Amino acid sequence: MKYGYFDDTKREYVITRPDTPAPWANYLGSPEYGALISNNAGGYSFAKSGANGRILRYIFNQFDQPGRYMYIRDNKTQDYWSASWQPVGKDLEAYKSECHHGTAYTKMLADYSGIHSEALYYVPLDQTYEVWNLRLTNQSAEDRELTVTGYAEFTNNNNYEQDQINLQYSQFITRTEFHENRIRHVIHGNLDWAKEGEEVDDELVIDRFFALTGATVDSYCGDREEFLGRYHGYNNPQGVEKGQLSGEMCYNQNGCGALSTVIRLKPNETKDIAFLVGMKGNKEAKEIIVKYENTTQQCEKELNELITYWHGRLSHFQVQTPSAEFNTMINTWNAYNCFITFIWSRAASFFYCGLRNGYGYRDTVQDIQGIIHLAPEMALEKIRFMLSAQVDNGGGLPLVKFNHNAGHEDTPEDASYVKETGHPEYRADDALWLFPTVYKYLAESGNMEFLDEVIPFANKDEGTVYEHLKRAIDFSMNRLGVHGMPAGLYADWNDCLRLGKNGESAFVALQFYYAMDIIKRCAEYKKDTQYGIYLDEKKNMLGKIINECCWNEDRFIRGYTQTGEIIGCKTDPEANMWLNPQSWAVISGLASEEQADTALDTVYQRLNTEYGAILMDPPYYKHAFEGALAVIYNAGSKENAGIFSQSQGWIILAEALRGHGDRAFTYFMENAPAAQNEKADIRKLEPYCYGQFTEGKDSPHFGRSHVHWLTGTASTIMVGCVEGILGMRPDFSGLCISPSIPKEWDTFTAKKEFRGKHLHIQVYNHNQKESGCVELLVNGEAMKGNYIPFEKMTENTDIVLTIS
Ligand code: IFM
């Protein structure tokens, strides 16, 4: 069953059936003013913090309510409906609708009883309020009189928990007022007196507004219970039923903004109005409202600005392959998902309420990777920030507070940090993610001076970027376990695998091996020969240890607990085969060709399913060791043998690095949201964004996906596809092009912005191979192998690669 389609030209996903298996959401604005909206207008808004700046209420884990509702009532027939299918929920035989989720805007079209409506929701670029623009057209043959009512349900407290559970307090600090064209919602309004000449403290007294522009307010209400009416719901508010709001304001209980206006339309006539929401005082609110006097023009201008901005961002890498699913993901939806995770981190979704008071180190450093090929300058800023959250001992702060103060932070060695963040220890992997991220940035941008930029450490002192990377190497080197691999510390990438402080994770060992490879390239660039020699020695030693201690016939094990128990051994009754050590053995360059192919084959046979490769198999149940926290999850879920989406990116990359285009693409397709558009009833999640995991074969709901949007999956899949399948691999001096594509792709093209040059790339595969290079022409000149030195690139560079 499918509920919509991709409009690639407009970069929209168009939902044609509103009764989707779950609320399918979009992101508007930024965490400065963030808004989530579902295809039925459910969702919430916040300023700066999803947990502490909540403006519009949304009840999690419920029926996608409340939302940004706009009701339309025919005053002659007294029939009413909503501009989004819900909340009124008219019979779908009579009510036709489309929801267009675009890049930072959502537009809902509806046709009912001869009235065509277009509800456009967005946060104007760089602004901190939201706009609901409603355009109504009379497509019937008679004059029509409609009462339109906008409804915004405010939280009673900026803190969403206080709003939800501390009612004996939060209901009695709130009130609303009506002013000309808006409802003012005030929290702590009783503190708004000020001595002469003093300003009211707007930290204490919080002002929100809900305004109407483009029409005059005919009736209004600021009290939720009064607006809805006793035992009424959002589907049949009494004020909407009557066509007249009571004028009652909130004093205690629940504030809302409800504004009605009567609109008269002749046949074929169109009118635009807009509702505005923000957390602003009277003065600022008035200034904003005035900008919308010419509602139609202003909203059209702002929508165009958003489209220009976002489409511009996405245009830096575009590809045309024979796979529509691949194209739509890489060109638009995976890329947009990468920007959303990059910008929003794990701040707010329908699953994350915004409680986390900082950035997870590994998540954020990983997220950066997804946008480097599109916006290296944005990546740079965040890389600097994350380097400034590295402690002077080289480790990453597990949680980087939103108010991070580089040079002055406590660390996991300080009780104060542990108390404030809940992180009792360093994690073994955090700082190791810096290596691929910094490398990708250097290679994409060519900004090699960055290695010499001085950046503070989190707690004290400062060092060049190169020094930061060296310290990260030292961090692991100074904390080795009994076999000589990095010690387990609190955890590795897998939050649910606690090998113990002195346990050892094969995954981390492989990351460390890879890190040494990357920093060796930096050392060579910097002509730091001594350090290069040191790295060679340590890397060889580590390589031997990993081979001796972790290779187990046809797979790499997952690690050792601190009591010496092997995890992921072939003979274990449970969890005897793990995905990540296999993919990382290839990515890190440690595995020999034979090991790599054997391990990848074992993955394919043991872990692959029609929805992707499961994280490990069999799930933990009876034989979980003490640190196997994943056992708390139902079999086939999350880290307990779920199809962890983030890991799919690494297996795609690993197969592609081995030149196995068919397998790489198979893994892509199995888990790609766009490829499951027709299986929406199984997947349930939006077909245009990734989820954290898909339920594995041990679940009765095999194929169902969860935790939309904010997942590291976006970046790992992007890297797996761009560097892996498409084979775009920049290094310090140029670009290697090494595609690993399905045999049946006979050609593909790509447009890539690279260090100020426009690359037009055409790849041919006449003889149905998965990888290889028989010829590479750059502006007609043959290159050696599949590598283009940067100096060969001109402003517009034509590149033709023949695989076979
Ligand atoms: O790696 C973690 C991530 O940091 C948070 N989500 C789960 C992943 C795997 O455990």
Side-chain angles (χ1 to χ4, degrees):
M1 176 76 81
K2 72 173 182 180
Y3 291 78
Y5 65 92
F6 291 89
D7 180 340
D8 288 334
T9 320
K10 292 194 174 144
R11 300 187 194 275
E12 289 179 346
Y13 185 80
V14 183
I15 298 166
T16 47
R17 277 189 59 164
D19 55 341
T20 49
W24 284 0
N26 196 11
Y27 281 81
L28 315 177
S30 74
E32 281 302 297
Y33 186 97
L36 273 118
I37 185 159
S38 77
N39 54 313
N40 276 306
Y44 60 95
S45 315
F46 64 88
K48 293 204 167 88
S49 160
N52 294 311
R54 196 65 75 83
I55 301 168
L56 290 188
R57 184 179 287 149
Y58 182 71
I59 310 296
F60 273 51
N61 203 14
Q62 266 289 351
F63 304 106
D64 192 25
Q65 290 181 335
R68 299 171 178 85
Y69 297 144
M70 292 190 274
Y71 299 90
I72 305 164
R73 177 183 190 268
D74 185 318
N75 289 338
K76 189 168 158 202
T77 63
Q78 300 181 12
D79 188 16
Y80 61 91
W81 61 100
S82 40
S84 43
W85 176 52
Q86 294 294 320
V88 177
K90 284 290 182 189
D91 186 338
L92 288 174
E93 283 300 309
Y95 184 97
K96 299 292 165 207
S97 77
E98 277 184 0
C99 169
H100 295 232
H101 280 318
T103 45
Y105 68 89
T106 286
K107 192 186 255 192
M108 296 178 195
L109 316 183
D111 286 285
Y112 180 77
S113 105
I115 298 296
H116 175 73
S117 61
E118 298 190 5
L120 168 70
Y121 297 91
Y122 65 94
V123 173
L125 201 60
D126 300 327
Q127 299 300 324
T128 48
Y129 59 89
E130 65 189 78
V131 179
W132 316 351
N133 171 209
L134 183 67
R135 178 170 294 177
L136 293 168
T137 305
N138 178 2
Q139 293 184 332
S140 70
E142 322 160 12
D143 289 3
R144 303 287 287 271
E145 185 190 284
L146 308 169
T147 294
V148 175
T149 304
Y151 175 73
E153 187 163 316
F154 293 115
T155 53
N156 288 333
N157 196 292
N158 271 10
N159 180 285
Y160 92 101
E161 272 179 322
Q162 291 294 315
D163 175 59
Q164 285 300 297
I165 59 176
N166 198 359
L167 302 187
Q168 62 80 25
Y169 153 69
S170 61
Q171 291 202 332
F172 309 104
I173 56 172
T174 178
R175 60 197 197 206
T176 50
E177 297 161 8
F178 176 70
H179 298 255
E180 187 196 346
N181 51 9
R182 70 186 191 280
I183 300 276
R184 175 180 180 227
H185 179 248
V186 202
I187 296 172
H188 291 147
N190 211 37
L191 304 178
D192 73 355
W193 61 274
K195 285 190 201 136
E196 236 179 83
E198 274 182 6
E199 293 283 311
V200 173
D201 182 346
D202 56 10
E203 290 283 306
L204 280 180
V205 182
I206 296 159
D207 256 296
R208 287 93 168 261
F209 75 96
F210 180 64
L212 172 67
T213 71
T216 49
V217 173
D218 291 306
S219 66
Y220 53 86
C221 178
D223 181 90
R224 183 188 74 171
E225 283 68 21
E226 174 69 16
F227 171 74
L228 293 176
R230 267 186 226 156
Y231 302 104
H232 284 239
Y234 299 109
N235 61 326
N236 60 353
Q238 65 175 359
V240 172
E241 270 183 354
K242 285 185 198 147
Q244 173 80 24
L245 306 182
S246 70
E248 179 90 6
M249 287 292 110
C250 163
Y251 189 91
N252 301 334
Q253 299 209 56
N254 293 288
C256 75
L259 299 172
S260 285
T261 183
V262 177
I263 294 185
R264 294 181 180 85
L265 291 171
K266 302 220 165 296
N268 293 321
E269 196 184 0
T270 295
K271 278 189 184 157
D272 259 293
I273 59 167
F275 295 98
L276 309 171
V277 183
M279 184 142 74
K280 308 276 181 198
N282 279 333
K283 188 168 165 283
E284 259 191 286
K286 277 195 219 158
E287 283 164 7
I288 291 168
I289 297 163
V290 164
K291 290 200 289 183
Y292 292 84
E293 258 166 16
N294 190 337
T295 307
T296 312
Q297 220 176 3
Q298 183 69 10
C299 294
E300 277 174 3
K301 176 177 135 286
E302 289 175 340
L303 176 63
N304 285 335
E305 281 167 0
L306 276 176
I307 291 174
T308 307
Y309 172 82
W310 276 102
H311 291 198
R313 280 259 163 259
L314 301 179
S315 69
H316 289 199
F317 184 77
Q318 292 290 290
V319 65
Q320 283 309 317
T321 75
S323 164
E325 295 86 354
F326 190 84
N327 300 344
T328 202
M329 291 309 298
I330 299 308
N331 294 341
T332 300
W333 290 99
N334 190 1
Y336 181 55
N337 200 162
C338 284
F339 277 110
I340 296 296
T341 56
F342 175 84
I343 295 167
W344 290 66
S345 188
R346 307 296 176 266
S349 71
F350 287 170
F351 293 79
Y352 290 107
C353 57
L355 256 192
R356 204 195 250 190
N357 57 346
Y359 299 99
Y361 201 90
R362 79 163 77 93
D363 294 351
T364 306
V365 178
Q366 289 167 359
D367 290 343
I368 296 170
Q369 292 183 20
I371 63 135
I372 289 178
H373 66 302
L374 296 167
E377 71 297 340
M378 277 173 89
L380 173 61
E381 215 179 298
K382 213 36 146 330
I383 292 173
R384 282 191 183 116
F385 177 71
M386 293 313 291
L387 286 166
S388 83
Q390 198 188 354
V391 179
D392 67 337
N393 64 14
L397 288 176
L399 191 89
V400 187
K401 289 178 255 161
F402 287 135
N403 58 359
H404 175 67
N405 186 6
H408 305 279
E409 287 294 344
D410 295 344
T411 74
E413 279 127 305
D414 300 309
S416 48
Y417 180 87
V418 178
K419 189 166 173 228
E420 197 178 347
T421 65
H423 285 270
E425 240 292 26
Y426 289 102
R427 298 184 300 198
D429 66 318
D430 276 331
L432 293 175
W433 293 104
L434 287 170
F435 291 88
T437 303
V438 171
Y439 178 76
K440 284 177 209 303
Y441 167 73
L442 293 171
E444 186 69 41
S445 65
N447 174 16
M448 297 303 291
E449 293 87 66
F450 181 54
L451 275 177
D452 296 319
E453 188 173 316
V454 176
I455 292 180
F457 288 100
N459 51 336
K460 62 176 159 63
D461 297 341
E462 58 182 24
T464 62
V465 170
Y466 183 52
E467 178 63 25
H468 275 259
L469 296 179
K470 281 174 138 181
R471 299 257 185 120
I473 296 286
D474 292 346
F475 180 84
S476 297
M477 205 61 95
N478 293 335
R479 291 167 181 76
L480 297 177
V482 281
H483 298 91
M485 298 188 287
L489 308 186
Y490 192 57
D492 71 359
W493 169 87
N494 188 327
D495 289 331
C496 299
L497 191 65
R498 303 282 159 84
L499 298 168
K501 193 167 178 177
N502 293 313
E504 289 160 297
S505 144
F507 188 175
V508 175
L510 292 161
Q511 279 187 278
F512 190 35
Y513 187 85
Y514 188 42
M516 285 199 258
D517 182 68
I518 287 174
I519 196 168
K520 174 77 193 301
R521 294 181 225 178
C522 299
E524 278 166 6
Y525 177 82
K526 291 198 63 66
K527 305 203 176 19
D528 188 351
T529 326
Q530 277 310 106
Y531 192 58
I533 296 170
Y534 164 83
L535 287 170
D536 283 343
E537 187 201 316
K538 295 293 180 192
K539 190 171 162 233
N540 285 340
M541 203 190 298
L542 180 67
K544 274 198 198 111
I545 295 171
I546 299 175
N547 266 313
E548 273 163 25
C549 301
C550 300
W551 178 247
N552 181 210
E553 289 181 33
D554 58 354
R555 71 199 63 193
F556 288 89
I557 60 158
R558 188 60 177 79
Y560 289 83
T561 66
Q562 72 178 3
T563 54
E565 191 184 338
I566 300 179
I567 304 304
C569 180
K570 195 169 177 177
T571 50
D572 288 348
E574 290 171 1
N576 54 36
M577 175 64 193
W578 291 73
L579 176 59
N580 292 334
Q582 322 312 324
S583 51
W584 270 84
V586 181
I587 295 168
S588 65
L590 172 115
S592 66
E593 291 191 2
E594 199 191 329
Q595 275 176 325
D597 290 348
T598 307
L600 293 178
D601 282 347
T602 316
V603 167
Y604 195 70
Q605 286 147 19
R606 281 292 313 281
L607 302 181
N608 190 39
T609 74
E610 61 187 288
Y611 299 109
I614 51 179
L615 192 63
M616 51 77 150
D617 189 58
Y620 279 122
Y621 179 48
K622 285 189 197 158
H623 300 276
F625 73 100
E626 208 187 322
L629 307 190
V631 72
I632 58 171
Y633 292 123
N634 292 328
S637 309
K638 289 184 66 104
E639 284 92 339
N640 197 15
I643 299 164
F644 220 88
S645 319
Q646 198 180 3
S647 298
Q648 309 308 304
W650 297 323
I651 194 72
I652 292 170
L653 181 62
E655 290 284 8
L657 290 172
R658 292 293 306 133
H660 304 157
D662 278 336
R663 281 244 191 104
F665 188 67
T666 299
Y667 284 122
F668 166 80
M669 286 295 276
E670 285 169 352
N671 206 248
Q676 293 180 51
N677 195 35
E678 312 251 337
K679 294 185 188 164
D681 282 317
I682 298 173
R683 184 172 195 267
K684 303 243 189 270
L685 232 55
E686 295 91 331
Y688 47 87
C689 71
Y690 279 101
Q692 186 198 63
F693 77 100
T694 301
E695 290 177 57
K697 60 187 169 53
D698 297 285
S699 156
H701 297 282
F702 180 35
R704 183 169 62 182
S705 295
H706 299 270
V707 195
H708 64 174
W709 281 104
L710 302 184
T711 155
T713 312
S715 67
T716 62
I717 304 268
M718 184 55 98
V719 171
C721 291
V722 174
E723 285 186 27
I725 295 177
L726 300 171
M728 305 290 154
R729 296 182 207 148
D731 69 8
F732 297 162
S733 326
L735 176 67
C736 170
I737 306 188
S738 186
S740 272
I741 56 175
K743 281 189 218 68
E744 70 266 17
W745 284 12
D746 51 1
T747 186
F748 75 83
T749 60
K751 279 191 194 154
K752 177 171 171 60
E753 297 298 306
F754 185 60
R755 305 184 196 172
K757 314 279 185 212
H758 312 295
L759 310 186
H760 309 272
I761 303 165
Q762 177 90 48
V763 175
Y764 291 110
N765 181 27
H766 304 294
N767 297 313
Q768 291 85 48
K769 293 266 165 57
E770 293 176 74
S771 52
C773 168
V774 293
E775 186 182 61
L776 173 61
L777 299 176
V778 174
N779 292 330
E781 185 189 342
M783 299 289 107
K784 272 195 211 135
N786 58 356
Y787 187 75
I788 312 170
F790 182 64
E791 58 273 15
K792 293 285 177 193
M793 295 178 194
T794 50
E795 193 181 345
N796 278 292
T797 309
D798 285 321
I799 297 167
V800 183
L801 175 93
T802 306
I803 292 179
S804 68

